[in-house]
Amino acid sequence: KAGVTQTPRYLIKTRGQQVTLSCSPISGHRSVSWYQQTPGQGLQFLFEYFSETQRNKGNFPGRFSGRQFSNSRSEMNVSTLELGDSALYLCASSFGLPPYEQYFGPGTRLTVT
Amino acid sequence: SQQGEEDPQALSIQEGENATMNCSYKTSINNLQWYRQNSGRGLVHLILIRSNEREKHSGRLRVTLDTSKKSSSLLITASRAADTASYFCATSPIQGAQKLVFGQGTRLTINP
């Protein structure tokens, strides 16, 4: 089975712009979760989608949003980028049922200048 | 904010030695998982232990879980240079179960 794929792998944006990241889960997985990883805050949960519905949300401002399509692919969007949004954004997929074992993609490295 | 803390933050050992990493967490959990990350890349799932389990093995990995102390440990036996990576524990809280809460990670270096 193909693993989780994320596109693009690297991205450079300037402050104030917006960005869309894409994630394709493992075939058969219905849940996609997004995480932000920074040196200062570590790995933090952004949100989780299951069958096109946001099921869980982390403590991030409304500039961070996401969606999931009927084929389980997911996108996350960050509007009005800030320097502090520079991070590795990781997507993880799972069946969405206990015990919620998650499989991660390689990540998208976002740099905001 | 993160639920757990890992100890030590960094560990350097010789190839062939055993490496032990510890993780503590704050709230009740469904399960606890360990992941490995190489140089800022994606996380690789290593092992999952359920809240009603006390010990689990997978190859050279041994994980223990003590829910009364809210702590877990990961033991890697007979370490290899390829084990050099950061190791994270992640808990699945009973409330909001699909959301993984990660510890800060332990940076493990295996010296040849």
Side-chain angles (χ1 to χ4, degrees):
Chain A
K1 263 187 185 177
V4 177
T5 58
Q6 291 187 246
T7 56
R9 292 293 310 281
Y10 302 92
L11 204 51
I12 300 175
K13 291 284 188 178
T14 56
R15 275 183 299 176
Q17 287 187 314
Q18 74 166 22
V19 66
T20 299
L21 311 181
S22 181
C23 172
S24 292
I26 292 171
S27 177
H29 285 186
R30 295 167 65 189
S31 168
V32 172
S33 299
W34 289 89
Y35 296 83
Q36 181 197 64
Q37 185 177 29
T38 59
Q41 297 297 316
L43 277 153
Q44 296 190 89
F45 172 79
L46 280 156
F47 29 65
E48 183 241 350
Y49 287 86
F50 180 81
S51 293
E52 301 179 66
T53 301
Q54 187 181 87
R55 197 163 62 167
N56 288 284
K57 189 177 190 307
N59 189 24
F60 277 81
R63 299 185 297 107
F64 292 81
S65 63
R67 60 177 175 168
Q68 187 180 33
F69 303 95
S70 58
N71 62 358
S72 293
R73 191 177 69 84
S74 176
E75 290 181 347
M76 69 163 280
N77 183 277
V78 188
S79 62
T80 319
L81 283 165
E82 301 176 359
L83 295 178
D85 297 332
S86 294
L88 180 67
Y89 289 89
L90 294 161
C91 161
S93 78
S94 77
F95 287 109
L97 301 170
Y100 306 114
E101 188 172 311
Q102 296 190 27
Y103 296 86
F104 283 79
T108 293
R109 172 76 61 185
L110 171 65
T111 301
V112 182
T113 62
Chain B
S1 62
Q2 292 163 313
Q3 145 124 275
E5 295 195 1
E6 295 188 56
D7 168 49
Q9 290 191 355
L11 179 62
S12 181
I13 61 174
Q14 296 300 119
E15 196 167 17
E17 294 181 337
N18 296 341
T20 299
M21 289 159 270
N22 303 296
C23 165
S24 61
Y25 57 92
K26 298 174 185 172
T27 64
S28 297
I29 60 172
N30 274 321
N31 62 65
L32 185 144
Q33 305 178 43
W34 285 89
Y35 289 84
R36 184 186 73 226
Q37 184 179 40
N38 290 85
S39 302
R41 302 175 74 175
L43 279 76
V44 174
H45 185 270
L46 295 176
I47 195 166
L48 179 150
I49 185 165
R50 291 177 167 80
S51 59
N52 61 354
E53 297 176 310
R54 291 297 166 258
E55 187 172 312
K56 202 161 183 180
H57 296 255
S58 176
R60 294 183 297 114
L61 306 180
R62 172 179 169 252
V63 169
T64 62
L65 179 64
D66 186 335
T67 53
S68 66
K69 295 181 180 178
K70 292 188 169 57
S71 68
S72 173
S73 68
L74 170 67
L75 169 67
I76 303 174
T77 61
S79 63
R80 305 167 182 168
D83 295 329
T84 294
S86 291
Y87 291 81
F88 295 88
C89 67
T91 53
S92 182
I94 288 180
Q95 295 198 351
Q98 175 64 51
K99 163 185 166 181
L100 283 180
V101 181
F102 283 87
Q104 302 147 317
T106 292
R107 175 68 191 169
L108 175 65
T109 302
I110 308 299
N111 302 303

